Structure formats: structure tokens, C-alpha cells
Amino acid sequence: MNLNDILGLGKVLPIDKLIDIVSNSVGKISKPFFDRKDVDTKAYEIEKLAEARAKEMKIMATAVKENFQITGGIEYKDEKIAISSPKELLFETQQTNLLTPSLENRTQDRVSFQEAKKQLNIENVTAFAAEELRNEEAVTDESLDEDWTTRFFKIAEEVSNEEMQALWGKILAGEIKQPKTYSLRTLELIRNLSKKEADIFMKVANYAINSNGKNYLFKGNDDNVMNEKFNISYTDIALLTEVGLLQTGDYVKHQLLQQTTERQKIFVAGNIILLANIKANTPTIKMPVNVFSNSGNELLKLINTTPPIDYLTYFANSIKNENVDIKYAYILANENDQITHSQPLLEFK
């Protein structure tokens, strides 16, 4: 990557890296684009899309008007064409009238409209990525995988929903900050998620508990508790397992192994840290869980979760005994896996 190493430590300005990636993938773009994005780009997008749509409708209206007499009545209503009393048309008439304007012109107009939408989608996703990187002082100069960027922008050009554009902007920003954060498999999984599947994952994500870099959904010994108390049904779990975001089964487990010395075990759930002090020679504690898949773990990085305190209390009380004491605190900062939390530690009730 031909970028200035601003610190001499393999670090570059994030906006420079973003511009370099976009330019090498889909075409040239400059810093002023991001500077004016919030001011006039939305107005520009609306104007250009409206012009393209108006041109398309004008073409259709012209064709309807020119062919009204020979068809017996065509209506153009609610952006749809309906033939109210079709007539048999001679082949010659069809050739000379119904193909006005020409097929070539209509095709070109359609292609231009579609390509304009793709370009606007890419620019919006890129602008959201720039916003995510705005407060980053420096990022690694490690290049992004070329296959990854090709796949990413192929997906981004089809994303028109603003909420989803923001999500893909976060993905691009995360990959710029730390390459190999999101796999190609995860890109395709997110691309194919339905709204229902995404909504269920967002709900279940609030119950994720992280330990040693892996996320779990603690289900406890009573299979009915998650459904009856926390509104996470078997159907929810089955669906997320089917799409590849959760792993279930007898082989999936998490446990606190017996140790010869006293130790502390750390769990993180959203903005809460749980600290379990475990006495020496405490017997192994088995914890029934569902495990988030690799793609599930990657997707969780995009979400700010809010764990219900009664769920964390249920989890804490399930492992607490005369040898295990567990308390919690609120996370104030978490940088490079170094967590600063509130004091004093709080007791679960």
C-alpha cells in the first residue's frame, strides 16, 4: 500500500486508507467527497434518482400515447401498464410502433439508471465507513485482501436501505482498522439474512456472554427458562442455528475446570463485566450453553448489546456456590483487552 506511514510504526490515517481501498476497487474518490457528504450528497442523490426515474416514466408514457389507438386502450397507472381491451396486432404494426423508442435506447436508459443506483449505494456505504473512522487517529497499514474488497463492493452496490448501508459501512470500517476481522463467509451470511433472521439475532445478541474471546448463550439446566422468562424460544435458536450463527448440540459446552490454585474468571456481557473468584480445588462446574459460530462472533462486533440484569443474575446464581463468588461492575473503557470498570464491585441479588 503506497500510503505515508505517519508514525513510522506501520500506521496510516484511516481516511487515506479508505480512499486508497475505494479507488483501487471501484474508482477514484477524494477527501472532499467525505467533507461534503453530510451537506449536499443526499440532495444530489435524490435529484439524480428522480431525474432517472422521471426519464424512465416519460419513455413509458410516450410509448403508451403513441400506441393507444392500435392496442385498444393502454393505461399507465401507479407505475404499471395494463391493456384494458387488447386487439390483435399485425406483426408489421408491432415492429413499427411498439418498439418506439428503440429497444437499444430503452435498454441503455435502464442500464444507466441501475448503474447510477449502484454507484450511489457504494458512495453511501463508503460515507458511513468514513463516519465510523472519523475519530480514529491511526490504523494499521496492512492491506485488505483483494478478493475481500471485490466481494464487499459487489454486495454494497446492491444495498439501498439506509440502515443496512450503515451496517455495511461499519463492516468496512472494522476491516480497515483490523484486516481479517470479517471473513468472506460472514459477508455472504449477512448478505443473505432476512429481516426476520436479523431481528431475531439482534434480540438474542443481548444475551451473549463473552469468555476468552468466545461468545455463549447461557441456557442453564432448565430448558424452559430462556423461553418463559427471557422470550428466547426454541424456534429462535433453531433458526439461528440453521443460518449458521449459533452452534448447538451435546458437543457444545463450556465449563469452569478444576484448578489447584485460587483464580479469577472474567465474563463480559455488553457494558458489564462479571468477575468470578474461584477457590482452589473447586470441582469442575458445567455450564449448559449454545455457542455463537465464527460468523456469529464477527457479527456481534457490530452490535452494541444491552444484557438484561435479571439474565445476568440468573447466570451468576447458576454457578455461584460456597467456592465461587461472583460480582459485577460497569465497563468504563475497553482497549486492547484492557478493561477499566466502576468501583466498588456490585453484588447480584
Side-chain angles (χ1 to χ4, degrees), residues 261-305:
T261 59
E262 185 172 341
R263 64 193 177 100
Q264 186 179 72
K265 180 73 172 179
I266 296 175
F267 303 94
V268 173
N271 67 333
I272 295 177
I273 183 172
L274 298 86
L275 299 101
N277 290 311
I278 306 170
K279 295 181 180 179
N281 300 315
T282 297
T284 296
I285 301 174
K286 295 183 178 180
M287 302 165 58
V289 297
N290 292 319
V291 180
F292 286 85
S293 66
N294 288 336
S295 292
N297 278 294
E298 291 176 11
L299 188 51
L300 281 170
K301 297 175 183 178
L302 301 170
I303 303 172
N304 294 321
T305 59

Side-chain angles (χ1 to χ4, degrees), residues 1-7 11-13 16 141:
M1 181 176 294
N2 298 320
L3 296 175
N4 292 325
D5 185 345
I6 60 173
L7 300 178
K11 297 288 185 178
V12 297
L13 291 174
D16 287 339
D141 66 351

Side-chain angles (χ1 to χ4, degrees), residues 70-71 87-98:
I70 62 173
T71 59
K87 294 181 179 180
E88 294 294 330
L89 301 177
L90 295 175
F91 178 78
E92 294 80 3
T93 304
Q94 290 176 310
Q95 287 290 88
T96 57
N97 291 285
L98 289 180

